[in-house]
Amino acid sequence: MIKNKIGVILSLTLLFVVSASAQRVAYMRINEVLVINEDNFVDDYGKRSGWIELFNSSAGTVNISGCFLTDDPNNPRKYPIPKGDVLTKIPPGQHILFWADGNASRGTFHLNFKLDPARENYIALYDADGKTLVDEIRIPAGQKPDVSYGRKVDGLQEWTTLPKVTPSTNNLTLDSNEKIENFQKNDAIGLGMTITAMLVVFLGLILLYVVFKFVGKSAIKMSNRRARKAGVENIPAKGHTEEGAIFAAIATALYEVTEDVHDMENTVLTIHKVTRRYSPWNSKIYNMREFSKK
């Protein structure tokens, strides 16, 4: 009984996975086609051939291995995409390129058919059963060399001749920035940009001033509160500051202590003041005898 339940659960799980995978394959789209490649993108062999780009328009990774690409509506299984190649797993919103060079022996992404520039080309993508059509397109005859035919926007319905060839990338490319163009049009001399930049700078400076002032006051209040809890007396009142001379004297004393600034005693010449001032010329007065007065 338990084995039967486990078997049913595994079967349902496998069925869910297969159906989810098939549902994601249904979101694959033929996105861009280049019929005549004269001076365009080259393949991994350095050759130029027509190519077909597929696009994953789903929100999940799609593995297209086992699916089919064809140029013949009567032969939907003309080119089976090989299994086991990790590159056939296409992430959401990404592209994959197949070379229509008629040489499938060159690898997974080289088709066994070519595109004919002289006629209309039919291209279709079929699911792994070979019967379910995923997407198809008919490329009009008379395509120009190195000009691709694709969707205006990746994955959407409208097809057109693209202004630029975009293999393995988005068909719609933005060569300009609408906001910048509007700014250049409305502010040719840059006055508005200058004023805006200055306002941003000044507002930033004001904000920094407010923040630092608030942080400083908060730190002083916390320090005073801790000092009072510790029983420290004579805490300066709010708005009271010590004289600058006191702090200068303290800073000077600390500097002298830390920098060890002292006189070098062996280089100091000490001069003592002489109490008697006389010249050697009048030193004879000390040799004169004093006679008693009669």
Side-chain angles (χ1 to χ4, degrees):
M1 186 67 178
I2 296 176
K3 292 182 178 179
N4 292 336
K5 290 182 178 180
I6 294 175
V8 171
I9 293 173
L10 291 176
S11 299
L12 292 174
T13 303
L14 181 61
L15 180 62
F16 174 77
V17 171
V18 172
S19 62
S21 176
Q23 185 179 7
R24 287 198 295 269
V25 170
Y27 286 98
M28 291 299 301
R29 294 289 179 266
I30 301 171
N31 199 59
E32 185 179 358
V33 178
L34 180 67
V35 177
I36 307 174
N37 187 351
E38 291 184 355
D39 191 22
N40 200 258
F41 205 50
V42 297
D43 63 12
D44 43 350
Y45 288 87
K47 305 295 183 181
R48 289 186 173 88
S49 307
W51 45 260
I52 301 168
E53 180 190 75
L54 302 183
F55 174 70
N56 178 9
S57 62
S58 72
T61 299
V62 178
N63 191 351
I64 60 173
S65 62
C67 295
F68 299 90
L69 277 169
T70 183
D71 65 341
D72 186 356
N74 298 319
N75 184 11
R77 300 189 180 191
K78 187 169 185 179
Y79 178 73
I81 300 174
K83 297 180 180 180
D85 193 332
V86 295
L87 296 179
T88 59
K89 295 180 180 180
I90 308 173
Q94 297 301 312
H95 311 76
I96 195 74
L97 210 64
F98 286 87
W99 298 95
D101 55 2
N103 197 342
S105 61
R106 288 183 174 177
T108 301
F109 302 102
H110 292 264
L111 304 173
N112 57 4
F113 60 85
K114 295 182 178 181
L115 301 177
D116 189 353
R119 63 176 177 83
E120 180 184 76
N121 288 273
Y122 172 82
I123 302 171
L125 174 66
Y126 280 84
D127 206 343
D129 59 3
K131 298 179 181 180
T132 304
L133 178 64
V134 178
D135 193 20
E136 65 178 351
I137 185 65
R138 293 184 182 273
I139 308 299
Q143 294 294 311
K144 296 179 179 180
D146 300 318
V147 178
S148 61
Y149 190 76
R151 302 177 187 269
K152 279 189 174 182
V153 180
D154 293 350
L156 299 185
Q157 291 297 327
E158 187 176 0
W159 283 74
T160 185
T161 299
L162 298 178
K164 291 185 178 180
V165 180
T166 58
S168 298
T169 188
N170 297 334
N171 291 354
L172 179 63
T173 56
L174 299 177
D175 297 328
S176 60
N177 190 314
E178 184 178 355
K179 293 182 178 179
I180 294 178
E181 289 180 353
N182 290 335
F183 215 113
Q184 290 176 347
K185 181 179 179 181
N186 300 321
D187 185 25
I189 63 175
L191 180 61
M193 178 68 75
T194 303
I195 294 174
T196 302
M198 293 178 66
L199 286 175
V200 170
V201 173
F202 283 124
L203 288 175
L205 292 174
I206 292 172
L207 180 61
L208 287 175
Y209 170 76
V210 172
V211 170
F212 282 121
K213 188 171 183 179
F214 175 77
V215 171
K217 288 184 177 180
S218 300
I220 292 173
K221 289 180 180 179
M222 291 178 62
S223 177
N224 292 340
R225 193 178 300 112
R226 290 176 182 175
R228 291 190 182 94
K229 288 182 179 180
V232 178
E233 300 293 336
N234 298 326
I235 299 176
K238 181 178 180 181
H240 177 72
T241 56
E242 296 292 341
E243 293 183 0
I246 298 177
F247 294 108
I250 295 173
T252 303
L254 291 175
Y255 176 77
E256 289 182 354
V257 171
T258 55
E259 296 297 328
D260 195 21
V261 179
H262 297 289
D263 291 337
M264 301 297 294
E265 297 298 337
N266 58 349
T267 61
V268 175
L269 178 63
T270 303
I271 301 176
H272 296 284
K273 184 178 180 181
V274 180
T275 56
R276 293 182 179 181
R277 296 180 180 178
Y278 63 93
S279 171
W281 297 102
N282 56 9
S283 59
K284 58 184 179 179
I285 60 174
Y286 295 101
N287 296 325
M288 295 180 64
R289 293 171 56 187
E290 185 177 354
F291 295 94
S292 60
K293 297 180 181 182
K294 295 183 180 180

